[in-house]
Amino acid sequence: LLDILMSKCQNSRKTAIAYVRSKIDEMKKSCIFSIDCLIISDYSRSAIQSAINRVIHEKIIIRACKGIYFKPTFSHLLKGKPISPDLNLLIDFLCKRNAETIQLHGGWACNRLRLSKQVPFIKVFYTSGYSRKLRFINGTVKFIHTKDSRILQHAGTNVGLAISALYFLDKKLVDQQVINTIQEQLTEKEYQQLKNSELPVWMKKIL
């Protein structure tokens, strides 16, 4: 009986591996995915994960970070080395998978809006999810949880960057010159969106 069960287990594992390979074959180069993209009722989650680990070992796919993978494109110029997807694409995939909203941290936002020339060492985001630091294949990213939903308004837009920068600088450092610089980086429509956003009283006044 034990031999029969072991045989069934081995056959199931082979079948799961064949299934995962076939799904990966259908993917485009540089496609980003997680185990959730491959789960079907025919196989247990552990069987799919074992199959994923196997094809990683075979270098058919690459782990971008914990739980996220991609089908690599190989560079002829770099002697066949795999090309990683853009870090921002990996972050976007992660956040969509987790249904969390993120906003670029104020330090980065200030740099993007030309309020500061300093570039933080690692990329940092405010998030509606939990705080953590993740090591991606092409960089480390820090996520800081915030309960203040106002910081996450207009996430991923210039208006969102402006809100993040204003929160970061706080009223002690925000003067008319800062506001003028922000206004120069936004369109008239974006600046109006900023003014109409839900903001602390001091921001409303200076805008």
Side-chain angles (χ1 to χ4, degrees):
L1 179 59
L2 181 60
D3 290 340
I4 294 172
L5 289 173
M6 288 295 291
S7 178
K8 284 185 177 181
C9 181
Q10 289 174 354
N11 289 335
S12 174
R13 179 167 294 183
K14 289 178 183 177
T15 304
I17 290 171
Y19 162 72
V20 168
R21 282 178 178 152
S22 68
K23 295 301 290 183
I24 291 169
D25 284 343
E26 294 171 6
M27 294 177 183
K28 294 180 180 180
K29 296 288 186 181
S30 302
C31 178
I32 303 167
F33 66 97
S34 69
I35 187 173
D36 296 320
C37 301
L38 302 175
I39 292 295
I40 58 173
S41 59
D42 293 9
Y43 312 103
S44 68
R45 191 177 185 89
S46 61
I48 296 294
Q49 187 62 63
S50 294
I52 287 173
N53 293 340
R54 175 80 173 269
V55 294
I56 288 173
H57 182 72
E58 295 170 354
K59 298 182 180 180
I60 296 172
I61 62 172
I62 294 174
R63 182 181 283 108
C65 73
K66 185 178 180 180
I68 296 179
Y69 316 92
F70 67 95
K71 183 177 180 178
T73 299
F74 295 95
S75 171
H76 295 295
L77 295 175
L78 299 175
K79 298 180 180 179
K81 289 186 177 180
I83 302 172
S84 302
D86 183 81
L87 180 58
N88 290 321
L89 293 176
L90 294 171
I91 294 169
D92 286 345
F93 181 90
L94 173 74
C95 294
K96 287 176 182 176
R97 186 194 68 174
N98 295 345
E100 62 183 306
T101 302
I102 63 169
Q103 184 82 276
L104 196 61
H105 187 271
W108 277 89
C110 285
N111 178 265
R112 290 278 186 89
L113 294 171
R114 300 182 182 179
L115 294 168
S116 170
K117 293 182 179 179
Q118 293 182 344
V119 181
F121 182 67
I122 65 172
K123 214 158 195 175
V124 184
F125 292 88
Y126 299 115
T127 178
S128 60
Y130 59 94
S131 298
R132 74 271 198 203
K133 186 184 287 187
L134 290 179
R135 293 185 182 277
F136 289 85
I137 192 170
N138 45 5
T140 300
V141 180
K142 187 176 182 180
F143 298 91
I144 301 173
H145 174 73
T146 178
K147 292 181 180 179
D148 192 344
S149 60
R150 294 177 298 180
I151 298 177
L152 301 174
Q153 292 176 94
H154 306 290
T157 69
N158 288 334
V159 178
L161 287 178
I163 292 172
S164 183
L166 289 170
Y167 268 96
F168 176 74
L169 293 172
D170 203 14
K171 58 184 175 183
K172 291 182 179 179
L173 295 177
V174 176
D175 55 19
Q176 194 55 51
Q177 184 177 351
V178 168
I179 298 302
N180 291 343
T181 302
I182 289 175
Q183 196 167 3
E184 287 172 4
Q185 306 306 314
L186 304 182
T187 64
E188 189 175 332
K189 183 179 179 181
E190 287 172 335
Y191 189 70
Q192 194 59 47
Q193 281 183 316
L194 176 61
K195 291 172 67 175
N196 293 337
S197 299
E198 186 182 351
L199 301 171
V201 174
W202 71 267
M203 283 190 199
K204 287 281 189 182
K205 285 182 178 179
I206 198 165
L207 289 170

